[in-house]
PDB file of all heavy atoms in Angstrom:
ATOM      1  N   SER A   1       0.859  -1.196   0.008  1.00  0.00           N
ATOM      2  CA  SER A   1       0.013  -0.013   0.004  1.00  0.00           C
ATOM      3  C   SER A   1       0.869   1.226  -0.009  1.00  0.00           C
ATOM      4  O   SER A   1       2.097   1.139   0.238  1.00  0.00           O
ATOM      5  CB  SER A   1      -0.925   0.026   1.211  1.00  0.00           C
ATOM      6  OG  SER A   1      -0.191   0.018   2.415  1.00  0.00           O
ATOM      7  N   GLY A   2       0.284   2.385  -0.295  1.00  0.00           N
ATOM      8  CA  GLY A   2       0.992   3.653  -0.190  1.00  0.00           C
ATOM      9  C   GLY A   2       1.443   4.221  -1.514  1.00  0.00           C
ATOM     10  O   GLY A   2       1.984   5.345  -1.573  1.00  0.00           O
ATOM     11  N   GLY A   3       1.226   3.528  -2.610  1.00  0.00           N
ATOM     12  CA  GLY A   3       1.589   4.002  -3.903  1.00  0.00           C
ATOM     13  C   GLY A   3       0.689   5.143  -4.350  1.00  0.00           C
ATOM     14  O   GLY A   3      -0.326   5.411  -3.736  1.00  0.00           O
ATOM     15  N   GLY A   4       1.068   5.807  -5.426  1.00  0.00           N
ATOM     16  CA  GLY A   4       0.276   6.897  -5.972  1.00  0.00           C
ATOM     17  C   GLY A   4       1.098   7.829  -6.780  1.00  0.00           C
ATOM     18  O   GLY A   4       2.228   7.499  -7.236  1.00  0.00           O
ATOM     19  N   LEU A   5       0.587   9.039  -6.953  1.00  0.00           N
ATOM     20  CA  LEU A   5       1.276  10.082  -7.701  1.00  0.00           C
ATOM     21  C   LEU A   5       2.030  10.996  -6.733  1.00  0.00           C
ATOM     22  O   LEU A   5       1.464  11.423  -5.721  1.00  0.00           O
ATOM     23  CB  LEU A   5       0.260  10.905  -8.506  1.00  0.00           C
ATOM     24  CG  LEU A   5       0.750  12.117  -9.267  1.00  0.00           C
ATOM     25  CD1 LEU A   5       1.717  11.688 -10.377  1.00  0.00           C
ATOM     26  CD2 LEU A   5      -0.423  12.912  -9.819  1.00  0.00           C
ATOM     27  N   VAL A   6       3.298  11.240  -7.048  1.00  0.00           N
ATOM     28  CA  VAL A   6       4.124  12.134  -6.232  1.00  0.00           C
ATOM     29  C   VAL A   6       4.910  13.050  -7.137  1.00  0.00           C
ATOM     30  O   VAL A   6       5.320  12.639  -8.234  1.00  0.00           O
ATOM     31  CB  VAL A   6       5.044  11.318  -5.272  1.00  0.00           C
ATOM     32  CG1 VAL A   6       5.960  10.431  -6.047  1.00  0.00           C
ATOM     33  CG2 VAL A   6       5.771  12.200  -4.303  1.00  0.00           C
ATOM     34  N   GLN A   7       5.113  14.250  -6.693  1.00  0.00           N
ATOM     35  CA  GLN A   7       5.938  15.190  -7.486  1.00  0.00           C
ATOM     36  C   GLN A   7       7.408  14.937  -7.324  1.00  0.00           C
ATOM     37  O   GLN A   7       7.820  14.475  -6.261  1.00  0.00           O
ATOM     38  CB  GLN A   7       5.599  16.619  -7.063  1.00  0.00           C
ATOM     39  CG  GLN A   7       4.190  17.079  -7.413  1.00  0.00           C
ATOM     40  CD  GLN A   7       4.006  18.587  -7.173  1.00  0.00           C
ATOM     41  OE1 GLN A   7       4.751  19.193  -6.452  1.00  0.00           O
ATOM     42  NE2 GLN A   7       2.990  19.137  -7.773  1.00  0.00           N
ATOM     43  N   PRO A   8       8.181  15.212  -8.320  1.00  0.00           N
ATOM     44  CA  PRO A   8       9.619  15.107  -8.196  1.00  0.00           C
ATOM     45  C   PRO A   8      10.110  15.921  -6.981  1.00  0.00           C
ATOM     46  O   PRO A   8       9.705  17.051  -6.784  1.00  0.00           O
ATOM     47  CB  PRO A   8      10.166  15.677  -9.511  1.00  0.00           C
ATOM     48  CG  PRO A   8       9.060  15.491 -10.473  1.00  0.00           C
ATOM     49  CD  PRO A   8       7.786  15.677  -9.708  1.00  0.00           C
ATOM     50  N   GLY A   9      10.977  15.296  -6.206  1.00  0.00           N
ATOM     51  CA  GLY A   9      11.498  15.971  -5.016  1.00  0.00           C
ATOM     52  C   GLY A   9      10.611  15.840  -3.781  1.00  0.00           C
ATOM     53  O   GLY A   9      11.013  16.265  -2.712  1.00  0.00           O
ATOM     54  N   GLY A  10       9.453  15.241  -3.908  1.00  0.00           N
ATOM     55  CA  GLY A  10       8.560  15.032  -2.817  1.00  0.00           C
ATOM     56  C   GLY A  10       8.945  13.825  -1.978  1.00  0.00           C
ATOM     57  O   GLY A  10      10.141  13.477  -1.899  1.00  0.00           O
ATOM     58  N   SER A  11       7.984  13.185  -1.340  1.00  0.00           N
ATOM     59  CA  SER A  11       8.251  11.973  -0.572  1.00  0.00           C
ATOM     60  C   SER A  11       7.028  11.079  -0.598  1.00  0.00           C
ATOM     61  O   SER A  11       5.883  11.533  -0.750  1.00  0.00           O
ATOM     62  CB  SER A  11       8.685  12.284   0.857  1.00  0.00           C
ATOM     63  OG  SER A  11       7.634  12.934   1.551  1.00  0.00           O
ATOM     64  N   LEU A  12       7.284   9.805  -0.394  1.00  0.00           N
ATOM     65  CA  LEU A  12       6.220   8.797  -0.380  1.00  0.00           C
ATOM     66  C   LEU A  12       6.708   7.630   0.467  1.00  0.00           C
ATOM     67  O   LEU A  12       7.900   7.299   0.425  1.00  0.00           O
ATOM     68  CB  LEU A  12       5.936   8.345  -1.838  1.00  0.00           C
ATOM     69  CG  LEU A  12       4.621   7.606  -2.123  1.00  0.00           C
ATOM     70  CD1 LEU A  12       3.450   8.536  -1.935  1.00  0.00           C
ATOM     71  CD2 LEU A  12       4.648   7.088  -3.549  1.00  0.00           C
ATOM     72  N   ARG A  13       5.811   7.004   1.205  1.00  0.00           N
ATOM     73  CA  ARG A  13       6.178   5.796   1.927  1.00  0.00           C
ATOM     74  C   ARG A  13       5.316   4.645   1.538  1.00  0.00           C
ATOM     75  O   ARG A  13       4.070   4.695   1.621  1.00  0.00           O
ATOM     76  CB  ARG A  13       6.042   6.035   3.458  1.00  0.00           C
ATOM     77  CG  ARG A  13       6.647   4.859   4.232  1.00  0.00           C
ATOM     78  CD  ARG A  13       6.658   5.113   5.721  1.00  0.00           C
ATOM     79  NE  ARG A  13       5.348   4.799   6.355  1.00  0.00           N
ATOM     80  CZ  ARG A  13       5.167   4.521   7.631  1.00  0.00           C
ATOM     81  NH1 ARG A  13       6.208   4.476   8.443  1.00  0.00           N
ATOM     82  NH2 ARG A  13       3.968   4.295   8.088  1.00  0.00           N
ATOM     83  N   LEU A  14       5.956   3.586   1.103  1.00  0.00           N
ATOM     84  CA  LEU A  14       5.258   2.359   0.784  1.00  0.00           C
ATOM     85  C   LEU A  14       5.322   1.408   1.993  1.00  0.00           C
ATOM     86  O   LEU A  14       6.286   1.385   2.748  1.00  0.00           O
ATOM     87  CB  LEU A  14       5.935   1.662  -0.405  1.00  0.00           C
ATOM     88  CG  LEU A  14       6.114   2.464  -1.679  1.00  0.00           C
ATOM     89  CD1 LEU A  14       6.748   1.590  -2.758  1.00  0.00           C
ATOM     90  CD2 LEU A  14       4.819   3.077  -2.155  1.00  0.00           C
ATOM     91  N   SER A  15       4.233   0.637   2.127  1.00  0.00           N
ATOM     92  CA  SER A  15       4.154  -0.366   3.198  1.00  0.00           C
ATOM     93  C   SER A  15       3.810  -1.698   2.611  1.00  0.00           C
ATOM     94  O   SER A  15       3.157  -1.792   1.553  1.00  0.00           O
ATOM     95  CB  SER A  15       3.059   0.011   4.198  1.00  0.00           C
ATOM     96  OG  SER A  15       3.307   1.255   4.794  1.00  0.00           O
ATOM     97  N   CYS A  16       4.254  -2.768   3.234  1.00  0.00           N
ATOM     98  CA  CYS A  16       3.923  -4.128   2.827  1.00  0.00           C
ATOM     99  C   CYS A  16       3.698  -4.965   4.074  1.00  0.00           C
ATOM    100  O   CYS A  16       4.621  -5.142   4.882  1.00  0.00           O
ATOM    101  CB  CYS A  16       5.025  -4.710   1.987  1.00  0.00           C
ATOM    102  SG  CYS A  16       4.827  -6.478   1.670  1.00  0.00           S
ATOM    103  N   ARG A  17       2.490  -5.436   4.225  1.00  0.00           N
ATOM    104  CA  ARG A  17       2.157  -6.231   5.394  1.00  0.00           C
ATOM    105  C   ARG A  17       2.076  -7.710   4.993  1.00  0.00           C
ATOM    106  O   ARG A  17       1.400  -8.082   4.021  1.00  0.00           O
ATOM    107  CB  ARG A  17       0.865  -5.808   6.021  1.00  0.00           C
ATOM    108  CG  ARG A  17       0.573  -6.495   7.370  1.00  0.00           C
ATOM    109  CD  ARG A  17      -0.670  -5.993   7.993  1.00  0.00           C
ATOM    110  NE  ARG A  17      -0.894  -6.491   9.342  1.00  0.00           N
ATOM    111  CZ  ARG A  17      -1.342  -7.729   9.630  1.00  0.00           C
ATOM    112  NH1 ARG A  17      -1.655  -8.561   8.629  1.00  0.00           N
ATOM    113  NH2 ARG A  17      -1.456  -8.124  10.842  1.00  0.00           N
ATOM    114  N   GLY A  18       2.770  -8.564   5.723  1.00  0.00           N
ATOM    115  CA  GLY A  18       2.755  -9.980   5.470  1.00  0.00           C
ATOM    116  C   GLY A  18       1.907 -10.757   6.426  1.00  0.00           C
ATOM    117  O   GLY A  18       1.719 -10.365   7.558  1.00  0.00           O
ATOM    118  N   SER A  19       1.324 -11.854   5.917  1.00  0.00           N
ATOM    119  CA  SER A  19       0.592 -12.752   6.744  1.00  0.00           C
ATOM    120  C   SER A  19       0.821 -14.165   6.240  1.00  0.00           C
ATOM    121  O   SER A  19       1.171 -14.406   5.066  1.00  0.00           O
ATOM    122  CB  SER A  19      -0.917 -12.399   6.736  1.00  0.00           C
ATOM    123  OG  SER A  19      -1.422 -12.507   5.394  1.00  0.00           O
ATOM    124  N   GLY A  20       0.649 -15.120   7.120  1.00  0.00           N
ATOM    125  CA  GLY A  20       0.833 -16.527   6.735  1.00  0.00           C
ATOM    126  C   GLY A  20       2.270 -17.011   6.785  1.00  0.00           C
ATOM    127  O   GLY A  20       2.590 -18.091   6.357  1.00  0.00           O
ATOM    128  N   ILE A  21       3.170 -16.104   7.271  1.00  0.00           N
ATOM    129  CA  ILE A  21       4.582 -16.450   7.370  1.00  0.00           C
ATOM    130  C   ILE A  21       5.073 -15.963   8.747  1.00  0.00           C
ATOM    131  O   ILE A  21       4.457 -15.081   9.366  1.00  0.00           O
ATOM    132  CB  ILE A  21       5.442 -15.821   6.296  1.00  0.00           C
ATOM    133  CG1 ILE A  21       5.300 -14.290   6.265  1.00  0.00           C
ATOM    134  CG2 ILE A  21       5.142 -16.425   4.932  1.00  0.00           C
ATOM    135  CD1 ILE A  21       6.247 -13.560   5.316  1.00  0.00           C
ATOM    136  N   ILE A  22       6.187 -16.542   9.196  1.00  0.00           N
ATOM    137  CA  ILE A  22       6.837 -16.003  10.374  1.00  0.00           C
ATOM    138  C   ILE A  22       7.705 -14.843   9.888  1.00  0.00           C
ATOM    139  O   ILE A  22       8.856 -15.029   9.487  1.00  0.00           O
ATOM    140  CB  ILE A  22       7.693 -17.084  11.088  1.00  0.00           C
ATOM    141  CG1 ILE A  22       6.785 -18.267  11.478  1.00  0.00           C
ATOM    142  CG2 ILE A  22       8.372 -16.533  12.320  1.00  0.00           C
ATOM    143  CD1 ILE A  22       7.518 -19.469  12.069  1.00  0.00           C
ATOM    144  N   PHE A  23       7.124 -13.689   9.887  1.00  0.00           N
ATOM    145  CA  PHE A  23       7.672 -12.510   9.203  1.00  0.00           C
ATOM    146  C   PHE A  23       9.139 -12.225   9.608  1.00  0.00           C
ATOM    147  O   PHE A  23       9.961 -11.943   8.733  1.00  0.00           O
ATOM    148  CB  PHE A  23       6.798 -11.282   9.488  1.00  0.00           C
ATOM    149  CG  PHE A  23       7.162 -10.050   8.731  1.00  0.00           C
ATOM    150  CD1 PHE A  23       6.653  -9.816   7.461  1.00  0.00           C
ATOM    151  CD2 PHE A  23       8.004  -9.118   9.310  1.00  0.00           C
ATOM    152  CE1 PHE A  23       6.986  -8.701   6.783  1.00  0.00           C
ATOM    153  CE2 PHE A  23       8.319  -7.958   8.611  1.00  0.00           C
ATOM    154  CZ  PHE A  23       7.827  -7.755   7.354  1.00  0.00           C
ATOM    155  N   SER A  24       9.393 -12.344  10.880  1.00  0.00           N
ATOM    156  CA  SER A  24      10.747 -11.983  11.368  1.00  0.00           C
ATOM    157  C   SER A  24      11.820 -12.918  10.858  1.00  0.00           C
ATOM    158  O   SER A  24      13.034 -12.617  10.934  1.00  0.00           O
ATOM    159  CB  SER A  24      10.753 -11.965  12.893  1.00  0.00           C
ATOM    160  OG  SER A  24      10.393 -13.262  13.392  1.00  0.00           O
ATOM    161  N   SER A  25      11.460 -14.057  10.303  1.00  0.00           N
ATOM    162  CA  SER A  25      12.422 -15.015   9.774  1.00  0.00           C
ATOM    163  C   SER A  25      12.802 -14.789   8.323  1.00  0.00           C
ATOM    164  O   SER A  25      13.685 -15.488   7.806  1.00  0.00           O
ATOM    165  CB  SER A  25      11.887 -16.425   9.947  1.00  0.00           C
ATOM    166  OG  SER A  25      11.677 -16.767  11.287  1.00  0.00           O
ATOM    167  N   TYR A  26      12.131 -13.857   7.684  1.00  0.00           N
ATOM    168  CA  TYR A  26      12.318 -13.643   6.232  1.00  0.00           C
ATOM    169  C   TYR A  26      13.127 -12.380   5.935  1.00  0.00           C
ATOM    170  O   TYR A  26      12.898 -11.336   6.565  1.00  0.00           O
ATOM    171  CB  TYR A  26      10.956 -13.522   5.537  1.00  0.00           C
ATOM    172  CG  TYR A  26      10.254 -14.818   5.332  1.00  0.00           C
ATOM    173  CD1 TYR A  26       9.700 -15.506   6.432  1.00  0.00           C
ATOM    174  CD2 TYR A  26      10.142 -15.432   4.104  1.00  0.00           C
ATOM    175  CE1 TYR A  26       9.103 -16.742   6.293  1.00  0.00           C
ATOM    176  CE2 TYR A  26       9.520 -16.660   3.926  1.00  0.00           C
ATOM    177  CZ  TYR A  26       8.989 -17.292   5.017  1.00  0.00           C
ATOM    178  OH  TYR A  26       8.372 -18.506   4.836  1.00  0.00           O
ATOM    179  N   ASP A  27      14.035 -12.492   4.987  1.00  0.00           N
ATOM    180  CA  ASP A  27      14.612 -11.289   4.404  1.00  0.00           C
ATOM    181  C   ASP A  27      13.535 -10.653   3.543  1.00  0.00           C
ATOM    182  O   ASP A  27      12.824 -11.305   2.791  1.00  0.00           O
ATOM    183  CB  ASP A  27      15.819 -11.660   3.518  1.00  0.00           C
ATOM    184  CG  ASP A  27      16.965 -12.230   4.282  1.00  0.00           C
ATOM    185  OD1 ASP A  27      17.129 -11.869   5.460  1.00  0.00           O
ATOM    186  OD2 ASP A  27      17.716 -13.029   3.710  1.00  0.00           O
ATOM    187  N   MET A  28      13.373  -9.344   3.679  1.00  0.00           N
ATOM    188  CA  MET A  28      12.327  -8.615   2.936  1.00  0.00           C
ATOM    189  C   MET A  28      12.921  -7.644   1.945  1.00  0.00           C
ATOM    190  O   MET A  28      13.928  -6.951   2.248  1.00  0.00           O
ATOM    191  CB  MET A  28      11.457  -7.847   3.946  1.00  0.00           C
ATOM    192  CG  MET A  28      10.754  -8.708   4.963  1.00  0.00           C
ATOM    193  SD  MET A  28       9.632  -9.930   4.229  1.00  0.00           S
ATOM    194  CE  MET A  28       8.468  -8.859   3.383  1.00  0.00           C
ATOM    195  N   GLY A  29      12.321  -7.579   0.791  1.00  0.00           N
ATOM    196  CA  GLY A  29      12.863  -6.695  -0.272  1.00  0.00           C
ATOM    197  C   GLY A  29      11.767  -5.946  -1.008  1.00  0.00           C
ATOM    198  O   GLY A  29      10.600  -6.322  -0.966  1.00  0.00           O
ATOM    199  N   TRP A  30      12.187  -4.875  -1.625  1.00  0.00           N
ATOM    200  CA  TRP A  30      11.360  -4.108  -2.569  1.00  0.00           C
ATOM    201  C   TRP A  30      12.025  -4.186  -3.944  1.00  0.00           C
ATOM    202  O   TRP A  30      13.249  -3.956  -4.053  1.00  0.00           O
ATOM    203  CB  TRP A  30      11.235  -2.657  -2.139  1.00  0.00           C
ATOM    204  CG  TRP A  30      10.345  -2.446  -0.964  1.00  0.00           C
ATOM    205  CD1 TRP A  30      10.734  -2.265   0.346  1.00  0.00           C
ATOM    206  CD2 TRP A  30       8.917  -2.319  -0.960  1.00  0.00           C
ATOM    207  NE1 TRP A  30       9.621  -2.100   1.138  1.00  0.00           N
ATOM    208  CE2 TRP A  30       8.495  -2.127   0.367  1.00  0.00           C
ATOM    209  CE3 TRP A  30       7.941  -2.382  -1.965  1.00  0.00           C
ATOM    210  CZ2 TRP A  30       7.175  -1.978   0.728  1.00  0.00           C
ATOM    211  CZ3 TRP A  30       6.612  -2.244  -1.620  1.00  0.00           C
ATOM    212  CH2 TRP A  30       6.240  -2.039  -0.309  1.00  0.00           C
ATOM    213  N   TYR A  31      11.193  -4.511  -4.910  1.00  0.00           N
ATOM    214  CA  TYR A  31      11.611  -4.523  -6.305  1.00  0.00           C
ATOM    215  C   TYR A  31      10.729  -3.579  -7.065  1.00  0.00           C
ATOM    216  O   TYR A  31       9.676  -3.158  -6.585  1.00  0.00           O
ATOM    217  CB  TYR A  31      11.441  -5.948  -6.911  1.00  0.00           C
ATOM    218  CG  TYR A  31      12.442  -6.953  -6.420  1.00  0.00           C
ATOM    219  CD1 TYR A  31      12.381  -7.447  -5.129  1.00  0.00           C
ATOM    220  CD2 TYR A  31      13.409  -7.459  -7.320  1.00  0.00           C
ATOM    221  CE1 TYR A  31      13.311  -8.396  -4.688  1.00  0.00           C
ATOM    222  CE2 TYR A  31      14.315  -8.439  -6.870  1.00  0.00           C
ATOM    223  CZ  TYR A  31      14.245  -8.905  -5.570  1.00  0.00           C
ATOM    224  OH  TYR A  31      15.167  -9.825  -5.149  1.00  0.00           O
ATOM    225  N   ARG A  32      11.136  -3.221  -8.278  1.00  0.00           N
ATOM    226  CA  ARG A  32      10.287  -2.387  -9.129  1.00  0.00           C
ATOM    227  C   ARG A  32      10.415  -2.796 -10.550  1.00  0.00           C
ATOM    228  O   ARG A  32      11.455  -3.325 -10.987  1.00  0.00           O
ATOM    229  CB  ARG A  32      10.627  -0.908  -8.953  1.00  0.00           C
ATOM    230  CG  ARG A  32      11.989  -0.490  -9.460  1.00  0.00           C
ATOM    231  CD  ARG A  32      12.241   0.972  -9.107  1.00  0.00           C
ATOM    232  NE  ARG A  32      13.554   1.448  -9.550  1.00  0.00           N
ATOM    233  CZ  ARG A  32      14.061   2.626  -9.263  1.00  0.00           C
ATOM    234  NH1 ARG A  32      13.396   3.461  -8.447  1.00  0.00           N
ATOM    235  NH2 ARG A  32      15.230   3.015  -9.718  1.00  0.00           N
ATOM    236  N   GLN A  33       9.343  -2.535 -11.316  1.00  0.00           N
ATOM    237  CA  GLN A  33       9.304  -2.855 -12.712  1.00  0.00           C
ATOM    238  C   GLN A  33       8.645  -1.758 -13.510  1.00  0.00           C
ATOM    239  O   GLN A  33       7.468  -1.478 -13.284  1.00  0.00           O
ATOM    240  CB  GLN A  33       8.582  -4.178 -12.949  1.00  0.00           C
ATOM    241  CG  GLN A  33       8.663  -4.707 -14.381  1.00  0.00           C
ATOM    242  CD  GLN A  33       8.205  -6.144 -14.497  1.00  0.00           C
ATOM    243  OE1 GLN A  33       7.479  -6.668 -13.596  1.00  0.00           O
ATOM    244  NE2 GLN A  33       8.620  -6.805 -15.533  1.00  0.00           N
ATOM    245  N   ALA A  34       9.420  -1.120 -14.354  1.00  0.00           N
ATOM    246  CA  ALA A  34       8.867  -0.097 -15.238  1.00  0.00           C
ATOM    247  C   ALA A  34       8.310  -0.747 -16.511  1.00  0.00           C
ATOM    248  O   ALA A  34       8.750  -1.871 -16.860  1.00  0.00           O
ATOM    249  CB  ALA A  34       9.929   0.943 -15.555  1.00  0.00           C
ATOM    250  N   PRO A  35       7.452  -0.076 -17.239  1.00  0.00           N
ATOM    251  CA  PRO A  35       6.883  -0.675 -18.467  1.00  0.00           C
ATOM    252  C   PRO A  35       8.000  -1.066 -19.465  1.00  0.00           C
ATOM    253  O   PRO A  35       8.889  -0.300 -19.735  1.00  0.00           O
ATOM    254  CB  PRO A  35       6.007   0.442 -19.021  1.00  0.00           C
ATOM    255  CG  PRO A  35       5.618   1.246 -17.828  1.00  0.00           C
ATOM    256  CD  PRO A  35       6.818   1.183 -16.914  1.00  0.00           C
ATOM    257  N   GLY A  36       7.930  -2.285 -19.924  1.00  0.00           N
ATOM    258  CA  GLY A  36       8.888  -2.782 -20.928  1.00  0.00           C
ATOM    259  C   GLY A  36      10.250  -3.138 -20.365  1.00  0.00           C
ATOM    260  O   GLY A  36      11.146  -3.439 -21.147  1.00  0.00           O
ATOM    261  N   LYS A  37      10.379  -3.100 -19.032  1.00  0.00           N
ATOM    262  CA  LYS A  37      11.701  -3.381 -18.426  1.00  0.00           C
ATOM    263  C   LYS A  37      11.597  -4.578 -17.473  1.00  0.00           C
ATOM    264  O   LYS A  37      10.507  -4.975 -17.080  1.00  0.00           O
ATOM    265  CB  LYS A  37      12.217  -2.154 -17.739  1.00  0.00           C
ATOM    266  CG  LYS A  37      12.512  -0.973 -18.625  1.00  0.00           C
ATOM    267  CD  LYS A  37      13.228   0.110 -17.914  1.00  0.00           C
ATOM    268  CE  LYS A  37      13.631   1.249 -18.856  1.00  0.00           C
ATOM    269  NZ  LYS A  37      14.374   2.310 -18.150  1.00  0.00           N
ATOM    270  N   GLN A  38      12.715  -5.119 -17.104  1.00  0.00           N
ATOM    271  CA  GLN A  38      12.759  -6.242 -16.173  1.00  0.00           C
ATOM    272  C   GLN A  38      12.507  -5.748 -14.752  1.00  0.00           C
ATOM    273  O   GLN A  38      12.634  -4.536 -14.462  1.00  0.00           O
ATOM    274  CB  GLN A  38      14.060  -6.968 -16.242  1.00  0.00           C
ATOM    275  CG  GLN A  38      15.263  -6.163 -15.748  1.00  0.00           C
ATOM    276  CD  GLN A  38      16.576  -6.925 -15.870  1.00  0.00           C
ATOM    277  OE1 GLN A  38      16.674  -7.887 -16.620  1.00  0.00           O
ATOM    278  NE2 GLN A  38      17.583  -6.497 -15.115  1.00  0.00           N
ATOM    279  N   ARG A  39      12.145  -6.699 -13.883  1.00  0.00           N
ATOM    280  CA  ARG A  39      11.960  -6.352 -12.478  1.00  0.00           C
ATOM    281  C   ARG A  39      13.328  -6.267 -11.811  1.00  0.00           C
ATOM    282  O   ARG A  39      14.154  -7.212 -11.863  1.00  0.00           O
ATOM    283  CB  ARG A  39      11.111  -7.410 -11.791  1.00  0.00           C
ATOM    284  CG  ARG A  39      10.690  -7.069 -10.397  1.00  0.00           C
ATOM    285  CD  ARG A  39       9.709  -8.118  -9.835  1.00  0.00           C
ATOM    286  NE  ARG A  39       8.454  -8.163 -10.615  1.00  0.00           N
ATOM    287  CZ  ARG A  39       7.423  -8.901 -10.245  1.00  0.00           C
ATOM    288  NH1 ARG A  39       7.448  -9.630  -9.148  1.00  0.00           N
ATOM    289  NH2 ARG A  39       6.331  -8.909 -11.008  1.00  0.00           N
TER     290      ARG A  39
END
């Protein structure tokens, strides 16, 4: 959650809530994929 439109130079915070796993045992990452590009 937390995505949207932001102006250049602004700020934004993304959140990701996990369930069904022992969250503290997992390495957590953020990836991104732009149109036509790899993740």
Side-chain angles (χ1 to χ4, degrees):
S1 60
L5 176 64
V6 60
Q7 291 188 342
S11 64
L12 197 67
R13 189 176 81 158
L14 306 182
S15 301
C16 170
R17 188 177 187 283
S19 60
I21 57 174
I22 302 174
F23 187 85
S24 60
S25 298
Y26 283 72
D27 294 330
M28 299 300 299
W30 286 97
Y31 288 70
R32 66 186 181 188
Q33 187 168 20
K37 295 189 176 182
Q38 67 181 19
R39 189 174 297 186

